[in-house]
Amino acid sequence: MDTDRLVVSDSPKREQWLDSLKGFAILLVIFGHVLSGYWDAWTFPEAYSSIFWIRSWIYSFHMPLFFMVSGYTFTLAYYRGGVLQKKRYFRQLFSLFWLYTVFALLQWGIKQLVPDLVNQAYDTSDLLRMYLEPLGNFWYLYVLFVFYLAAAVLHLPRLSEVFVLVLGGISVIVLYMELDETNLTLYRILYHFFYFAAGIALCRNKQWLRSGKLYGVTTMFLASCTLFYTVAWVRYWDANWWVLIAFFSSFAFLWDFWNWRWLGRSPLFRLMGKYCLELYLLHTFFTGGLRTVLPLIGITTPWLSIWANFLISTGLSLGIAILAAHFRPLGFLFRPLQAQK
């Protein structure tokens, strides 16, 4: 293998297009969670159809996109010349463990205080199993911790791209087996590892992100899928199609933000990307409560409530994130080892 592909710049400068892409992705996550909250609570039955279609589109690729970006940034941040930067790597492992533990416990505690205001209540057994079955939306941190361990043990950034194809096959098998019905944690790990590895492969082969031909094939495939679904020729995709749709959708967004300057340098997306971690950790503490508060102040129209929930949840989370960046005790909560970098 050509190890020169693993060499990345030692400059600490942030890559603007990655920040923008992460900002776009976290907005999708927040909006998807807002929609899921109304969906699960059956708050607006009259808007069932529109919520379903938009939510389905977001959920078809948004977490694969996040894991692909995570694989890309893992290689960029923790490998130099094909060598794992152990000090930085172990700091990040500790941060992932810390964040999952602190915010999962915080979420569990809040749900004990207001069980009637949440869609999914927790009990003591959930707390005892939190390191085997991750709590709530913080499963991403749990799975990412596993991927970081696996990537270092397997030296994933050094392996052939054939290994990525093997993982893609495993993702298809996992979907066919419907492990999400029997073991959600195992399903999440086995299914998403493919996208994490694909992100690593993209970081090593950046020419793929410059290829107009690859992008053309990608957009034609996604357009064909949209057409087939829209005209009712296809309603239930097989597992292999779901994996391809998630992969090509994620690749298309990486290509877009890499090549289109107006996206890669968007001030709004860059701001959201800069505080992506904090937005991810905080927004769920607001979305559930706002479903109860908004009707009390007269907001009862389905999509007005949904957009108000999304904007307020995002705004409050961003405000706390900016405050944490300037207030060390609060910043410690999100980045306990920041001062040692």
Side-chain angles (χ1 to χ4, degrees), residues 115-221:
D116 295 334
L117 299 181
V118 298
N119 290 335
Q120 179 186 5
Y122 293 147
D123 55 28
T124 304
S125 64
D126 294 307
L127 182 64
L128 296 176
R129 296 196 309 270
M130 64 178 288
Y131 293 114
L132 294 176
E133 299 177 17
L135 294 180
N137 297 317
F138 300 121
W139 66 266
Y140 169 76
L141 293 175
Y142 182 102
V143 173
L144 192 62
F145 181 86
V146 173
F147 289 172
Y148 270 47
L149 288 177
V153 171
L154 297 174
H155 296 291
L156 195 56
R158 297 181 179 179
L159 295 182
S160 166
E161 280 70 30
V162 173
F163 183 69
V164 180
L165 296 177
V166 172
L167 292 176
I170 293 175
S171 293
V172 172
I173 293 171
V174 168
L175 288 180
Y176 272 121
M177 294 175 63
E178 297 184 349
L179 287 178
D180 54 328
E181 299 290 336
T182 57
N183 192 320
L184 190 57
T185 303
L186 183 61
Y187 156 77
R188 286 166 169 166
I189 292 172
L190 293 178
Y191 175 68
H192 291 102
F193 197 30
F194 163 60
Y195 304 101
F196 184 81
I200 290 176
L202 281 175
C203 188
R204 300 190 314 173
N205 299 276
K206 295 184 178 66
Q207 69 273 15
W208 294 348
L209 291 174
R210 294 189 288 267
S211 173
K213 292 182 179 179
L214 280 177
Y215 185 70
V217 170
T218 296
T219 53
M220 288 177 63
F221 170 80

Side-chain angles (χ1 to χ4, degrees), residues 7 10 38 44 54 56 58 67 81 100 116 129 154 170 172 194 198 240 244-245 247 285 300 305 307 337:
V7 178
D10 289 323
Y38 285 98
F44 295 118
I54 297 175
S56 296
I58 293 174
F67 278 109
Y100 170 71
D116 295 334
R129 296 196 309 270
L154 297 174
I170 293 175
V172 172
F194 163 60
N240 51 322
L244 287 172
I245 290 169
F247 172 79
F285 294 104
T300 57
S305 180
W307 279 108
L337 301 182

Side-chain angles (χ1 to χ4, degrees), residues 48 52 134 155 163 194 229 243 278 309 338:
Y48 173 90
F52 173 80
H155 296 291
F163 183 69
F194 163 60
Y229 200 88
V243 171
E278 292 88 344
N309 193 320
Q338 182 74 31

Side-chain angles (χ1 to χ4, degrees), residues 48-327:
Y48 173 90
S49 179
S50 56
I51 291 175
F52 173 80
W53 292 116
I54 297 175
R55 177 183 178 274
S56 296
W57 175 73
I58 293 174
Y59 273 72
S60 70
F61 71 89
H62 77 310
M63 291 314 299
L65 172 61
F66 244 116
F67 278 109
M68 195 175 289
V69 172
S70 297
Y72 190 102
T73 56
F74 171 83
T75 308
L76 200 64
Y78 304 110
Y79 269 79
R80 293 290 185 271
V83 178
L84 180 68
Q85 304 300 293
K86 293 183 179 179
K87 186 176 181 180
R88 297 189 68 204
Y89 167 76
F90 284 114
R91 280 203 304 261
Q92 183 65 1
L93 274 185
F94 173 81
S95 294
L96 290 173
F97 178 82
W98 163 272
L99 290 170
Y100 170 71
T101 299
V102 169
F103 281 89
L105 288 174
L106 182 60
Q107 185 181 66
W108 184 89
I110 290 176
K111 289 195 174 189
Q112 299 307 299
L113 295 175
V114 289
D116 295 334
L117 299 181
V118 298
N119 290 335
Q120 179 186 5
Y122 293 147
D123 55 28
T124 304
S125 64
D126 294 307
L127 182 64
L128 296 176
R129 296 196 309 270
M130 64 178 288
Y131 293 114
L132 294 176
E133 299 177 17
L135 294 180
N137 297 317
F138 300 121
W139 66 266
Y140 169 76
L141 293 175
Y142 182 102
V143 173
L144 192 62
F145 181 86
V146 173
F147 289 172
Y148 270 47
L149 288 177
V153 171
L154 297 174
H155 296 291
L156 195 56
R158 297 181 179 179
L159 295 182
S160 166
E161 280 70 30
V162 173
F163 183 69
V164 180
L165 296 177
V166 172
L167 292 176
I170 293 175
S171 293
V172 172
I173 293 171
V174 168
L175 288 180
Y176 272 121
M177 294 175 63
E178 297 184 349
L179 287 178
D180 54 328
E181 299 290 336
T182 57
N183 192 320
L184 190 57
T185 303
L186 183 61
Y187 156 77
R188 286 166 169 166
I189 292 172
L190 293 178
Y191 175 68
H192 291 102
F193 197 30
F194 163 60
Y195 304 101
F196 184 81
I200 290 176
L202 281 175
C203 188
R204 300 190 314 173
N205 299 276
K206 295 184 178 66
Q207 69 273 15
W208 294 348
L209 291 174
R210 294 189 288 267
S211 173
K213 292 182 179 179
L214 280 177
Y215 185 70
V217 170
T218 296
T219 53
M220 288 177 63
F221 170 80
L222 293 176
S224 299
C225 289
T226 302
L227 174 63
F228 292 157
Y229 200 88
T230 302
V231 300
W233 295 346
V234 177
R235 274 294 180 262
Y236 299 99
W237 295 99
D238 288 333
N240 51 322
W241 285 102
W242 278 117
V243 171
L244 287 172
I245 290 169
F247 172 79
F248 280 118
S249 296
S250 300
F251 173 79
F253 282 114
L254 265 82
W255 195 98
D256 291 340
F257 278 83
W258 171 284
N259 290 280
W260 294 352
R261 179 171 296 186
W262 65 274
L263 276 178
R265 295 186 178 181
S266 165
L268 173 63
F269 289 153
R270 285 172 56 196
L271 176 65
M272 297 300 166
K274 181 178 179 180
Y275 297 106
C276 177
L277 173 67
E278 292 88 344
L279 292 173
Y280 163 71
L281 292 168
L282 293 170
H283 75 274
T284 55
F285 294 104
F286 300 114
T287 56
L290 283 170
R291 286 199 310 273
T292 303
V293 172
L294 291 175
L296 299 179
I297 59 175
I299 299 178
T300 57
T301 304
W303 279 100
L304 178 60
S305 180
I306 289 170
W307 279 108
N309 193 320
F310 169 70
L311 293 173
I312 295 172
S313 299
T314 303
L316 289 174
S317 300
L318 181 62
I320 295 174
I322 294 174
L323 177 63
H326 298 88
F327 185 57

